[in-house]
Each structure stands twice: as C-alpha cells, then as structure tokens.
Amino acid sequence: MAKLLFDPQQLPIDGIAGEPALSLERLAPDWLRARFAAPPAWEPEASEQPFLPGVAPKPAAVLVPLVERPEGLTLLLTQRTAHLNNHAGQISFPGGRAEDYDASPAETALREAEEEIGLDRRHADIIGTLPVYYTGTGYSVTPVVALLRPPFELRADPHEVAEIFEVPLAFLMDGLNHQRLSAELASGRRSFYAMPYRDYYIWGATAGMLRNLFHFLRA
C-alpha cells in the first residue's frame, strides 16, 4: 500500500452531508439485530477508486464493534501506530487481510481483533455484515458488525495499535457530523468523508464504511 500523499486535516471542507441524525430507537441493540435479520432495500455509496486500476483487490475484513454501554451504544476504534508502513497513525476498525485458513470474513475479523486488541471472540455477538468496501489501496473489505457486552478486557498489540477508544454511535450516525473533502492527486481527484471527534480524525475508508452503516440504518 502507498504511504499517505496528503494530510487530510489540512484540506478545506467541501461541504457537510447534513442528513438528520438517526433516532435513538434505531441505535438500540434489539432494533439493530432486527434490521440486520431483515435488511431493507437500500443503496450503499460508491467505494474508493483504486490507485492501481486493473490489480485484483485483496480480500480483507474488519470488525465493527458496537459496545453496549449504559448511556448508549459506542463504536470501538483503534489508532494505528505511527511507525507502520500502511495507514500509519490513522483511525481504523480492528481488522486486516484475509488468510487462506479463514473460513469466512467473520473469522478474519474476529482473528484480527484478537491479534490487534486482544478481544476474546466470545464477547462478540455478530449480527450481520455491510457491503464490501473497496479501498484505493487495493483491498476489498467486508465490515462485520458485532455487539459487545461489557465487561471484557482489551490488550493493544504495541506494534500495530497506539490507542483503543470509543465514540458514541449517536455522534457517528448524524449527517451533520459527516464532512466531505477532496484532494488532487497524480491519479486524479479523490473525494472522501471525515468525521472528526474530539482529538480523533476519522476519515477515508473507515468513514466510508460508517456512511454505509448510516445509510443502512436510516433506510
């Protein structure tokens, strides 16, 4: 994967998506289980354009972990360590490239979550998946959505994960918090979303997959 060619936080904001926030009813565990069990008709947004067209994307999966907190669901995310060759310092879901021995995207996501953040898979109640998201860096990513009920212990892999943190799902499921940005690169103009939260700059593929979760839940 290519190193980051620009700093997204230095770009001007093209606009705000602006759709109304989801009702709290739709952010409850039982409602989410029912939605994934009987999905409505809906349209995901377009994925990223590949930096190297014509190259077959490599399969990967991420865990979209929704934590059942007393004050409401939160989304568990990681910040990658600064020394990595790929996506250094960026905010991401736990996950990674599929291995030949992974029986399914869910197995990939659970294995990677165990390796990266020490999440024991017994705590993850998988409720469904979102459409495959194609990244500009050549991956076809399946987002695997799971509910996590505390207590559980986490342990960051110091080589890959600098920090583990949570963001209120209600904040992320509000179109007023979805910024649109774009950058001119040698491969052409690239557009993407950002969802800044406190000191965390959520953008790119992670924000793109969250947009699809937003559309799926509001359909």
Side-chain angles (χ1 to χ4, degrees):
M1 283 190 274
K3 288 183 179 292
L4 188 62
L5 301 176
F6 59 91
D7 181 356
Q9 298 187 63
Q10 301 303 313
L11 296 172
I13 298 170
D14 294 338
I16 303 295
E19 300 95 343
L22 293 185
S23 67
L24 293 181
E25 172 199 12
R26 295 187 177 220
L27 303 180
D30 288 345
W31 194 95
L32 291 173
R33 287 192 183 92
R35 170 51 56 103
F36 277 98
W42 71 288
E43 287 293 328
E45 293 194 17
S47 295
E48 300 170 15
Q49 294 298 309
F51 292 121
L52 298 173
V55 177
K58 298 176 283 292
V62 296
L63 193 67
V64 182
L66 303 176
V67 185
E68 298 184 41
R69 298 293 183 192
E71 63 274 18
L73 289 176
T74 64
L75 177 69
L76 189 150
L77 291 166
T78 71
Q79 183 163 28
R80 293 169 65 81
T81 51
H83 68 268
L84 292 175
N85 290 328
N86 305 323
H87 303 298
Q90 292 186 31
I91 304 301
S92 65
F93 299 111
R97 185 171 179 171
E99 300 292 351
D100 293 339
Y101 49 79
D102 291 333
S104 65
E107 280 297 309
T108 299
L110 290 171
R111 174 182 57 76
E112 286 283 340
E114 284 184 309
E115 293 174 2
E116 290 183 5
I117 63 173
L119 176 67
D120 191 309
R121 62 180 60 204
R122 75 177 187 273
H123 295 297
D125 176 13
I126 294 175
I127 59 175
T129 61
L130 293 169
V132 171
Y133 186 91
Y134 294 92
T135 71
T137 48
Y139 285 84
S140 56
V141 184
T142 300
V144 178
V145 183
L147 292 166
L148 308 184
R149 179 170 295 173
F152 50 81
E153 293 185 3
L154 301 177
R155 181 188 64 260
D157 176 348
H159 176 70
E160 293 191 56
V161 177
E163 186 176 354
I164 304 168
F165 64 98
E166 296 177 30
V167 180
L169 185 61
F171 175 89
L172 297 167
M173 297 295 101
D174 183 347
L176 289 175
N177 297 323
H178 300 174
Q179 301 175 357
R180 290 194 296 259
L181 303 95
S182 56
E184 286 289 351
L185 304 179
S187 55
R189 189 169 185 81
R190 302 279 168 163
S191 297
F192 55 90
Y193 284 96
M195 304 172 184
Y197 176 74
R198 296 183 178 173
D199 294 333
Y200 303 106
Y201 194 78
I202 305 163
W203 74 286
T206 301
M209 286 182 263
L210 286 171
R211 279 289 291 178
N212 280 340
L213 176 63
F214 178 61
H215 289 310
F216 175 69
L217 298 184
R218 67 191 288 264

